[in-house]
Amino acid sequence: MLNNAEISELLKKARLRPTRQRIFVASLLFGSEHIHVSAESLHHKIKQLGQKIALATVYNCLHHFHKAGLLKKVNAVNDVIMFDTNLSYHHHFLNVDTGELTDIDEATVSIAELPKLPDGFETESMELTIRVKPQS
Amino acid sequence: MLNNAEISELLKKARLRPTRQRIFVASLLFGSEHIHVSAESLHHKIKQLGQKIALATVYNCLHHFHKAGLLKKVNAVNDVIMFDTNLSYHHHFLNVDTGELTDIDEATVSIAELPKLPDGFETESMELTIRVKPQS
DNA sequence: AATTGATTTAGAATGATTTTAAAGTAATGT
DNA sequence: ACATTACTTTAAAATCATTCTAAATCAATT
Ligand SMILES: [Mn+2]
Ligand SMILES: [Mn+2]
Ligand SMILES: [Zn+2]
Ligand SMILES: [Zn+2]
């Protein structure tokens, strides 16, 4: 629920030119509930809303937003890269049928022990994915 | 370290015809340490060993072995499907630079609490991936 | 308004995987 | 053994997500 001026401001702070396309994409991503999108899913949503932005631009946009720290890249699912507006450290349910991701409330998971890393390595990120499917 | 007769037996038990190609592929996968392979990496290894099996056959083989419960499919990494000869429930280090997977000893991780699943869903699998990179 | 460098875009290219369809082979019955 | 049958292998084409190319457009700056 941010207005265009606010979105422009947000983009400028991230050192991204507030272009027509970026403003529209950002309006779909930020300022409301956290969501998970792929380039394709976002492109579909844009078309549904009667706008026309090239698919390549959506890819560019998502990657730029990610580099700028506005989006988190989530483990690919079914060969599709998902981006997450929830930047905090958290885990996911993954619907294996649809590929849909749902955040897991971090308070409900606790990892008690962790193994030591291989020598000379450091952790980049850590994610628990619980793959779920409709009860059979 | 299985001989061809043992591998044939293993394939028959899995209701897979013990063809020349499957026997060779199985000999590379089973009977020694647990490994993680992609179709490409396995195909490379086969060529290195002076054998010639079509890449499509390697794909078919891995998928058949997976359906037969001989291999576990691990989350895709960098757009590449990895298969795991370690069938037990376990977690991985993922080298984000190379895509290489390493098993985490299950005894060194413990997940203390888990969230409740969405209604009508059941867990298919659960995996912790610790992405690691060379220390900077 | 002109310049400059970034951005957008359609379309081509890429790379992993899957599909097709034809040729080859394992299993089964005779 | 031989024939039959069903399954498997293979090269090549197709698919699909993503990236690249190069020309057109645009935002920011002078
Ligand atoms: Mn793919
Ligand atoms: Mn790809
Ligand atoms: Zn999330
Ligand atoms: Zn493993």
Side-chain angles (χ1 to χ4, degrees), chain A residues 56-68:
Chain A
T57 302
V58 176
Y59 275 102
N60 290 339
C61 217
L62 289 173
H63 285 125
H64 276 124
F65 287 8
H66 173 246
K67 265 196 208 148

Side-chain angles (χ1 to χ4, degrees), chain A residues 20 24 43-53:
Chain A
R20 194 195 108 237
F24 191 69
H43 190 236
H44 283 149
K45 198 187 289 185
I46 290 167
K47 279 194 294 193
Q48 274 178 3
L49 294 171
Q51 298 291 313
K52 186 175 171 185
I53 301 179

Side-chain angles (χ1 to χ4, degrees), chain B:
Chain B
M1 312 298 135
L2 301 174
N3 63 38
N4 279 17
E6 293 170 317
I7 292 171
S8 275
E9 206 44 49
L10 182 151
L11 291 171
K12 278 183 198 155
K13 264 185 207 143
R15 295 164 187 280
L16 293 169
R17 280 196 191 165
T19 65
R20 193 195 110 237
Q21 291 85 344
R22 284 178 186 164
I23 290 171
F24 190 70
V25 167
S27 79
L28 299 180
L29 296 176
F30 309 120
S32 51
E33 292 218 331
H34 286 148
I35 56 176
H36 305 87
V37 301
S38 65
E40 280 285 357
S41 77
L42 187 51
H43 190 236
H44 283 148
K45 199 187 289 186
I46 290 166
K47 279 194 293 192
Q48 273 178 4
L49 295 171
Q51 299 292 314
K52 185 174 173 184
I53 300 180
L55 178 57
T57 302
V58 176
Y59 274 103
N60 290 339
C61 217
L62 290 172
H63 284 126
H64 276 125
F65 288 8
H66 173 246
K67 265 196 207 149
L70 300 174
L71 288 176
K72 209 165 65 134
K73 214 182 219 173
V74 180
N75 246 12
V77 170
N78 298 144
D79 204 6
V80 176
I81 299 170
M82 298 293 292
F83 291 88
D84 194 337
T85 61
N86 182 347
L87 301 175
S88 75
Y89 168 55
H90 66 285
H91 307 294
H92 292 105
F93 290 116
L94 163 60
N95 182 327
V96 293
D97 285 356
T98 65
E100 188 193 7
L101 288 170
T102 313
D103 285 355
I104 292 177
D105 178 359
E106 65 175 321
T108 65
V109 181
S110 71
I111 296 172
E113 296 177 75
L114 274 179
K116 67 171 190 314
L117 298 185
D119 276 345
F121 283 87
E122 62 185 350
T123 299
E124 186 228 45
S125 62
M126 181 157 50
E127 190 170 301
L128 179 69
T129 302
I130 302 182
R131 279 183 278 284
V132 301
K133 59 183 177 187
Q135 244 153 13
S136 50

Side-chain angles (χ1 to χ4, degrees), chain A residues 91 105-113 128, chain B residues 109-115:
Chain A
H91 307 295
D105 178 358
E106 64 176 322
T108 65
V109 182
S110 69
I111 297 172
E113 294 178 77
L128 179 68
Chain B
V109 181
S110 71
I111 296 172
E113 296 177 75
L114 274 179

